[in-house]
Amino acid sequence: DSGVTQTPKHLITATGQRVTLRCSPRSGDLSVYWYQQSLDQGLQFLIQYYNGEERAKGNILERFSAQQFPDLHSELNLSSLELGDSALYFCASSVATGSKNIQYFGAGTRLSVL
Amino acid sequence: GQQLNQSPQSMFIQEGEDVSMNCTSSSIFNTWLWYKQDPGEGPVLLIALYKAGELTSNGRLTAQFGITRKDSFLNISASIPSDVGIYFCAGTSGTYKYIFGTGTRLKVLA
């Protein structure tokens, strides 16, 4: 158990809908990262938050947004969903930011858009 | 998005055999990480490397930070069935942003 909690584990929805994925980081971790993993692909970095503020953006679509709350949990919002958004979405957390801060991953949310 | 080149993409090996995989980048990195992902689970950190030439072990796993700082290697000795999974490398040049490899899918035949 990495200590990073993601809910829900599975999500099935229809095209055009909006969903929210939730992540609770490990106790004491200030940084949260979101990744997308499509079938048989590697991990694509989406966005990072550090202590409530957006720190970096990767390949995140405009239809997607995220935030980190004062209690440090984070939510990833996906709107106007398309079939191609079906993927595993992972949250990771680290103590701080920078190359020596190891990211620990949650078990992921599997999103299926029908 | 940008990714590292990881090879082999997949491999079938007999239980007890040693396994080698590597990761190469077009950029110089100052940190390399190796993760293992089981089906339906998130990646789990195996080994972290911070210095060129560094060789680090974790049980039957040994990883090396390449001298050129553009590559890394992971070896698994005496493989067992539970070694099955996808192994990812990840590297960073010093920022928050890790670039992940495309993964090596390992299957162990008993």
Side-chain angles (χ1 to χ4, degrees):
Chain A
D1 185 359
S2 66
V4 179
T5 303
Q6 287 189 250
T7 57
K9 196 165 178 62
H10 300 280
L11 200 50
I12 301 174
T13 188
T15 55
Q17 296 298 305
R18 172 189 169 95
V19 297
T20 298
L21 282 53
R22 183 188 168 99
C23 170
S24 293
R26 293 187 322 156
S27 177
D29 284 359
L30 299 178
S31 260
V32 170
Y33 311 77
W34 286 97
Y35 291 86
Q36 179 191 57
Q37 185 180 36
S38 300
L39 187 64
D40 292 335
Q41 297 293 314
L43 292 152
Q44 297 292 328
F45 169 70
L46 296 178
I47 197 165
Q48 180 207 1
Y49 279 82
Y50 176 72
N51 203 20
E53 294 187 1
E54 182 183 306
R55 178 59 63 99
K57 268 187 176 181
N59 302 317
I60 187 166
L61 300 172
E62 286 191 11
R63 300 183 286 109
F64 296 180
S65 65
Q67 53 184 331
Q68 186 180 27
F69 295 87
D71 67 353
L72 300 177
H73 91 271
S74 178
E75 293 181 355
L76 178 67
N77 300 297
L78 314 176
S79 62
S80 302
L81 286 168
E82 302 175 359
L83 295 177
D85 296 328
S86 296
L88 271 166
Y89 290 85
F90 287 104
C91 167
S93 74
S94 65
V95 171
T97 191
S99 62
K100 292 201 173 180
N101 286 277
I102 303 301
Q103 296 177 28
Y104 293 88
F105 284 80
T109 292
R110 181 176 294 280
L111 174 66
S112 298
V113 182
L114 305 178
Chain B
Q2 184 182 2
Q3 286 192 322
L4 301 175
N5 185 27
Q6 194 170 342
S7 66
Q9 285 189 326
S10 62
M11 53 196 313
F12 287 81
I13 59 168
Q14 292 285 341
E15 184 177 356
E17 287 184 351
D18 296 344
V19 175
S20 292
M21 61 190 78
N22 67 77
C23 211
T24 58
S25 166
S26 57
S27 306
I28 288 176
F29 285 157
N30 63 10
T31 299
W32 283 95
L33 306 176
W34 284 92
Y35 287 89
K36 182 189 177 204
Q37 184 178 21
D38 291 328
E41 301 293 328
V44 174
L45 182 69
L46 299 174
I47 293 178
L49 302 161
Y50 300 109
K51 192 175 173 182
E54 181 181 353
L55 190 69
T56 297
S57 293
N58 178 7
R60 294 178 296 104
L61 278 61
T62 301
Q64 184 165 24
F65 194 137
I67 294 292
T68 66
R69 295 174 63 193
K70 290 186 175 183
D71 54 11
S72 181
F73 309 89
L74 176 69
N75 295 310
I76 305 172
S77 63
S79 58
I80 59 177
S82 62
D83 290 333
V84 165
I86 305 175
Y87 292 80
F88 287 103
C89 60
T92 182
S93 56
T95 67
Y96 60 90
K97 185 177 177 183
Y98 278 91
I99 308 299
F100 280 79
T102 49
T104 293
R105 286 150 185 77
L106 180 64
K107 298 191 179 181
V108 179
L109 306 172

